[in-house]
Amino acid sequence: MSGPAQESGQAAAAAPAGAGRRGGLGQGWPLLGLGLAMLALMLALTVFAPLVAPYDPSATSPDSLAPASAAHWLGTDSIGRDVLSRLIVGGRTTLLITVAAVLIALVAGLILGLAAGYLGGRTDEIVMRLLDVVFAFPVLLLAIAVVAALGPTVPNLILTIAIVYTPAMARVVRAPVLSVKRWDHVEAARSVGMSEMRLVLRHILPIVVSPILVATSLTLSQTIFTVTALSFLGLGPPPPDPNWGGMLSEARQFMELAPLTVIGPAAAIVFATLTFIIIANGLREVLDVGSVR
Amino acid sequence: MTRFVLGRLAWMAAILLGVSLVAFLLMRAIPGDFAIAAAGSQSVAPEVLAAIRRDLGLDQPLMAQYLGWLGHALTGDLGTSFVTRRPVLGELLDRLAVTIQLTLLAAVIAAAMGVATGLAAARLRGVTDWLVRLWNGLMLAVPNYVVATLIVLLFGLYFPEVTVLGYTPFLENPLANLASLLLPAIALALAVSVTIAENTRAAVLEVANQDFVMVARAKGLTPATILRDYLMRNALTPVVTAAGLKIAALLGGSILVETIFAIPGMGQYLFDSINSRDYPVIQAIVLVAAGIVVLVNTLIDIAYARIDARVQM
Amino acid sequence: MTGPLLRVRDLAATVTTRREVIRAVRGISFDINADEAVGFVGESGCGKSVTAKALMRLAPEGASIALGGSVAFWGQELLALDEVEMRDLRGRRIAMVFQDPMTSLNPVMSIGAQMADMLRRHLGLSGRAARERGIELLDLVGIPDPARRIDDFPHQFSGGQRQRILIAIAISCEPDLLIADEPTTALDVTVQAQILRLLLRLREERGMALMLITHDFGVVAGMVDRVNVMYRGEIVETGLVDDVFSAPQHAYTRALLDAVPRLQGAGATR
């Protein structure tokens, strides 16, 4: 009955008991530390964006398509706006949407996954089948369709992306729950008369935490892609909010004249995505989730 | 086995039904009046608006509308474009053909690159392994539309005489057709090839540890034979199925890449129709694209189950 | 063809994996003659399997083996051969049967194909000839209805049958020496006896030398002429099997003998 498993679901749910050998791109802790440092940097820059950005991101100037200089570290775009400032402020919106959407997907996925996994039987079937329908759509396609239908406002974007990634999250939660359900100490606790709710919270939830953390991180990286892709296509937060995808798209027209207008947003997108991927891999090794050699 | 296949097909039909429902509802969820969008302008006489409503069946209950639309879709009538006033189906098929060419080319490139690098990393290990894994890790962080844009930038800066944008149909000039699709296909393939490479590497490493590979060596077989019959045949099965499931990613990515490279495929069609609020087209594209993904995934599931049954025991 | 079939002197093997370096074999010497059966007995980790792999110059995946000493096969120094020459030898002059029949066959190839690739490689048999020879071999090892079953896949056979097939594959090119590394350990007790009897029969029919490796002294009884007892990479006792059984010199040998369950009672003292 199971359909195709997307990256995060499949990888993270593969072996909650940990079949991995440490190694690969680096041991757990340094990798995780690096990722968290990168995240801290991003958060610092974006949370304090208005203070950090040297210029008003919407401020135009006659100095258009300027190369990097002391005044404009990353140059200016076609109507003279400072690229660096737009990147910093744009990052704020992008991260806001990303984090909010993934948090919602996480909560929804937790509820659905726990319900489906623990209650089993018909509940499991119904929930999973409904999620499979959502899951069947290519992520970007569905996101585009929903945003096109509802209109590209920030709340709609958050909701859309949350919907799109909920099935994957639910799967990641469900898998360990299904296996843990039968464990001896769970049976024992149940036989002693522990209430179902306590059972779920005290015994089952901790098992789910590790793969969920990894999956959340991976989903965050995928969401950056989706959010910036949507804004690239013009379906992102409406102006005057700058956003990385939109900046990239606008820059295409004159990019040979001012490569930084493209390289700037590109680098920002890659940096953000890489941050979450590194965190995911670091978590995977530290928590010994799944098998990545 | 037959029961499984039938069950899987039935399941596929159910999902397709769900997909069609979602596609339908999405377009009905738009704020504003569907009829006005169909008319194309705000200032339209009320009688004309009423006529349009009757025409599109908008005065009927939602369920009836859905069933009507579905019935038409199954017979190939995907509605009429608000913009061109012509049937959606014709234009869609033309665009779909282009997207399929692009996607297939990208799939081939991704498979070739992915398997080659994954295999090299697994067998050669050492520096090669490290480099491949580093590349893989980094490439996963670069979205396909960023790659595409950077490619266009690169050519624009250093090879301005080469045309990278645009598309030549196959029947017009096969070679030019390939040339026009090559760069976009590479941009599309890159991220997918990385996943294939990682899968291949892991699969080959896992198989190489198996007893029967040691036995093959003890039999005195040549490394080439062992690679082909013992390693790859076992390693590739999970890789191929995982790769096939990437069709969804390729289709989604083609939307972006087509736009950047000015390829008149289904992705660009979607983009244009969103900008022009051509809802029947959006609806049709969502249905067809999701339908293809579901179909391909189901076929792969079935194929894998058949092979897996053998390997199971 | 000079001297004994196999003459090993001061064989040392150091296995290096990603995590550790182990001196698995620390200078052992033994001979195997052309029609002899020699047993190697010891607990796991004593180096007997590594010895067998060392003779074939097979390193486990992901590890490397450094070999020292001398391994003379019909007078030819094996440790001096390059990989290509070794490959010609493996399967053709020295063959090996491994422990776990459930995982030793390629799941996606028919057993006929797995026999044919070896016959093609060493004897140059093609298509029809290889298939007929394969059917003969299956019949020889006691697989019923071989002409039909040769196209079946490993999962269609039981553990005991798979081991028979593996033995058939091993002897298919008429090797001079067959190394059997714990050939019955993974099998049911009833099947174990059948497999051992098969090995015995094949040995007698072909005059093939046999190196039987096991942790169970009960297995070598009645199967081999001489026995070497290994402990921690060294041979601690050697001699004719009856002698060792009746009068073990080394404390470790005595411990191993004590571990053998005595149901029959005959021939075993203490």
Side-chain angles (χ1 to χ4, degrees):
Chain A
M1 199 257 269
S2 66
Q6 241 179 8
E7 232 61 61
S8 55
Q10 190 173 32
R21 200 165 33 121
R22 307 243 157 105
L25 273 179
Q27 301 296 336
W29 285 110
L31 209 56
L32 188 57
L34 174 64
L36 290 174
M38 289 166 72
L39 181 61
L41 177 65
M42 273 199 319
L43 286 178
L45 282 178
T46 53
V47 166
F48 300 110
L51 302 172
V52 176
Y55 295 85
D56 175 357
S58 315
T60 62
S61 78
D63 189 16
S64 65
L65 298 177
S69 63
H72 297 278
W73 287 8
L74 291 177
T76 60
D77 69 7
S78 59
I79 49 177
R81 297 178 292 192
D82 178 43
V83 170
L84 182 61
S85 307
R86 288 177 62 78
L87 279 183
I88 292 175
V89 177
R92 195 188 214 190
T93 321
T94 306
L95 282 183
L96 174 71
I97 298 175
T98 303
V99 173
V102 172
L103 275 179
I104 297 178
L106 176 62
V107 171
L110 260 177
I111 297 175
L112 289 172
L114 281 174
Y118 190 69
L119 297 175
R122 296 233 75 199
T123 321
D124 185 21
E125 273 202 49
I126 295 174
V127 169
M128 279 302 122
R129 280 178 194 227
L130 285 177
L131 289 179
D132 270 348
V133 172
V134 179
F135 211 48
F137 287 86
V139 166
L140 194 58
L141 187 72
L142 186 60
I144 289 177
V146 175
V147 172
L150 300 177
T153 66
V154 170
N156 283 344
L157 279 169
I158 294 178
L159 187 66
T160 307
I161 294 175
I163 293 175
V164 164
Y165 284 108
T166 299
M169 285 293 199
R171 257 171 210 269
V172 171
V173 171
R174 179 175 168 270
V177 170
L178 282 180
S179 63
V180 167
K181 220 168 45 162
R182 304 178 207 296
W183 282 10
D184 288 337
H185 70 265
V186 172
E187 289 290 343
R190 197 184 280 128
S191 70
V192 170
M194 196 182 267
S195 79
E196 300 286 301
M197 181 60 92
R198 270 193 82 197
L199 203 67
V200 168
L201 287 178
R202 290 213 41 209
H203 288 274
I204 297 189
L205 204 54
I207 308 294
V208 167
V209 165
S210 297
I212 268 286
L213 280 178
V214 176
T216 305
S217 219
L218 281 177
T219 309
L220 281 167
S221 74
Q222 289 162 359
T223 309
I224 301 263
F225 168 64
T226 310
V227 169
T228 48
L230 282 173
S231 52
F232 181 86
L233 290 172
L235 293 170
D241 266 334
N243 55 78
W244 295 343
M247 287 172 70
L248 195 64
S249 182
E250 286 162 12
R252 280 191 301 141
Q253 205 177 6
F254 298 110
M255 60 178 169
E256 289 92 5
L257 300 175
L260 278 176
T261 50
V262 158
I263 295 177
I269 295 171
V270 171
F271 185 82
T273 313
L274 201 57
T275 302
F276 291 116
I277 290 181
I278 289 180
I279 292 180
N281 279 327
L283 278 175
R284 209 185 245 151
E285 306 232 353
V286 165
L287 298 172
D288 203 17
V289 175
S291 57
V292 178
R293 271 184 270 199
Chain B
M1 182 42 42
T2 335
R3 276 187 68 191
F4 173 80
V5 173
L6 286 178
R8 209 58 194 79
L9 287 177
W11 180 227
M12 179 183 90
I15 294 198
L16 284 176
L17 212 62
V19 162
S20 70
L21 193 61
V22 172
F24 175 79
L25 287 175
L26 275 179
M27 287 307 107
R28 291 292 189 269
I30 50 164
D33 198 341
F34 203 73
I36 292 184
S41 88
Q42 297 276 22
S43 53
V44 165
E47 316 88 64
V48 181
L49 222 49
I52 292 178
R53 280 215 187 81
R54 266 198 313 277
D55 225 12
L56 293 176
L58 291 174
D59 46 356
Q60 294 176 0
L62 208 59
M63 192 42 132
Q65 287 186 46
Y66 166 63
L67 290 173
W69 174 74
L70 188 63
H72 280 131
L74 287 174
T75 57
D77 176 10
L78 288 168
T80 312
S81 159
F82 285 173
V83 171
T84 65
R85 305 289 174 201
R86 287 205 308 262
V88 175
L89 185 68
E91 182 73 21
L92 186 79
L93 286 179
D94 286 337
R95 304 293 199 122
L96 184 61
V98 177
T99 298
I100 288 182
Q101 286 176 50
L102 178 63
T103 313
L104 279 178
L105 186 60
V108 167
I109 294 177
M113 269 177 57
V115 171
T117 42
L119 185 60
R123 297 309 282 164
L124 299 178
R125 312 241 53 191
V127 178
T128 317
D129 190 15
W130 192 83
L131 279 176
V132 168
R133 301 210 75 199
L134 188 65
W135 168 261
N136 287 352
L138 287 176
M139 273 301 118
L140 273 181
V142 185
N144 48 28
Y145 64 93
V146 170
V147 173
T149 310
L150 288 175
I151 290 180
V152 176
L153 176 66
L154 204 76
F155 274 77
L157 284 178
Y158 299 114
F159 308 103
E161 66 284 353
V162 177
T163 26
V164 296
L165 304 180
Y167 167 78
T168 316
F170 183 75
L171 295 174
E172 207 179 279
N173 181 344
L175 224 56
N177 170 267
L178 187 65
S180 67
L181 289 176
L182 192 62
L183 287 174
I186 290 178
L188 199 51
L190 218 54
V192 174
S193 81
V194 163
T195 319
I196 293 180
E198 285 288 314
N199 284 346
T200 305
R201 178 182 173 280
V204 171
L205 282 179
E206 166 121 14
V207 173
N209 270 329
Q210 299 286 325
D211 286 342
F212 61 82
V213 173
M214 172 72 84
V215 170
R217 290 163 61 204
K219 281 159 72 170
L221 298 175
T222 59
T225 311
I226 297 181
L227 183 69
R228 191 192 64 211
D229 292 335
Y230 291 75
L231 280 175
M232 291 315 265
R233 272 215 234 173
N234 281 284
L236 278 188
T237 318
V239 171
V240 163
T241 46
L245 301 176
K246 291 273 136 203
I247 298 286
L250 285 177
L251 269 185
S254 76
I255 296 174
L256 300 158
V257 170
E258 283 174 19
T259 311
I260 296 173
F261 279 94
I263 309 276
M266 216 167 67
Q268 208 192 44
Y269 197 26
L270 180 66
F271 184 49
D272 294 339
S273 57
I274 288 178
N275 284 339
S276 56
R277 304 270 177 269
D278 199 347
Y279 294 113
V281 174
I282 302 178
Q283 210 164 7
I285 293 179
V286 171
L287 180 65
V288 170
I292 292 177
V293 169
V294 171
L295 185 66
V296 170
N297 284 345
T298 305
L299 290 175
I300 290 175
D301 264 2
I302 293 177
Y304 188 65
R306 291 196 58 199
I307 302 174
D308 205 39
R310 253 210 241 153
V311 181
Q312 248 346 305
M313 317 201 248
Chain C
M1 306 226 180
T2 50
L5 172 67
L6 191 70
R7 163 165 283 176
V8 176
R9 293 287 175 268
D10 293 318
L11 178 64
T14 308
V15 180
T16 312
T17 63
R18 219 173 290 270
R19 286 168 233 251
E20 47 195 356
V21 177
I22 309 177
R23 289 178 53 212
V25 180
R26 300 156 189 250
I28 60 174
S29 305
F30 61 90
D31 289 350
I32 298 183
N33 295 309
D35 55 357
E36 248 193 329
V38 179
F40 279 75
V41 187
E43 63 188 3
S44 31
C46 70
K48 52 193 200 299
S49 282
V50 177
T51 303
K53 295 210 174 78
L55 295 181
M56 301 269 277
R57 302 255 308 271
L58 284 174
E61 186 69 30
S64 62
I65 292 191
L67 297 174
S70 154
V71 177
F73 183 71
W74 286 134
Q76 185 183 29
E77 178 56 58
L78 291 188
L79 298 189
L81 294 181
D82 65 25
E83 178 62 16
V84 178
E85 293 164 317
M86 226 22 240
R87 232 180 274 145
D88 289 334
L89 213 84
R90 290 190 200 119
R92 180 73 181 83
R93 313 302 297 283
I94 310 179
M96 195 156 159
V97 177
F98 293 83
Q99 175 172 338
D100 191 351
M102 300 306 277
T103 57
S104 293
L105 286 167
N106 187 344
V108 299
M109 277 173 83
S110 73
I111 56 163
Q114 294 186 52
M115 300 183 85
D117 63 12
M118 190 151 162
L119 293 170
R120 184 172 29 237
R121 163 87 175 96
H122 292 297
L123 302 180
L125 296 187
S126 64
R128 172 160 296 283
R131 186 186 165 79
E132 279 173 11
R133 182 86 186 102
I135 295 174
E136 273 173 33
L137 285 163
L138 287 182
D139 190 37
L140 192 63
V141 297
I143 300 288
D145 199 4
R148 196 174 54 84
R149 304 225 65 190
I150 192 163
D151 294 319
D152 283 347
F153 286 80
H155 69 265
Q156 292 168 280
F157 295 90
S158 71
Q161 287 177 323
R162 290 191 217 192
Q163 194 64 304
R164 289 171 189 273
I165 294 168
L166 285 161
I167 292 173
I169 291 177
I171 62 163
S172 62
C173 299
E174 316 272 339
D176 300 320
L177 169 65
L178 177 67
I179 305 176
D181 187 359
E182 307 266 15
T184 54
T185 308
L187 301 171
D188 291 337
V189 179
T190 45
V191 180
Q192 282 183 18
Q194 293 170 11
I195 296 296
L196 290 175
R197 269 201 299 274
L198 173 64
L199 283 174
L200 205 55
R201 176 165 65 86
L202 289 173
R203 233 208 87 212
E204 282 163 7
E205 286 173 4
R206 281 144 194 267
M208 178 179 66
L210 176 67
M211 180 176 167
L212 182 60
I213 300 173
T214 175
H215 64 276
D216 182 1
F217 240 118
V219 166
V220 297
M223 286 290 297
V224 304
D225 307 310
R226 290 187 295 116
V227 65
N228 293 313
V229 180
M230 284 190 73
Y231 178 68
R232 295 251 206 117
E234 292 173 334
I235 295 180
V236 298
E237 184 155 355
T238 177
L240 296 177
V241 67
D242 288 334
D243 292 345
V244 174
F245 253 94
S246 55
Q249 304 290 324
H250 198 274
Y252 181 64
T253 316
R254 271 178 247 134
L256 278 180
L257 283 169
D258 283 344
V260 179
R262 283 185 228 289
L263 292 176
Q264 257 63 356
T269 49
R270 114 145 69 121

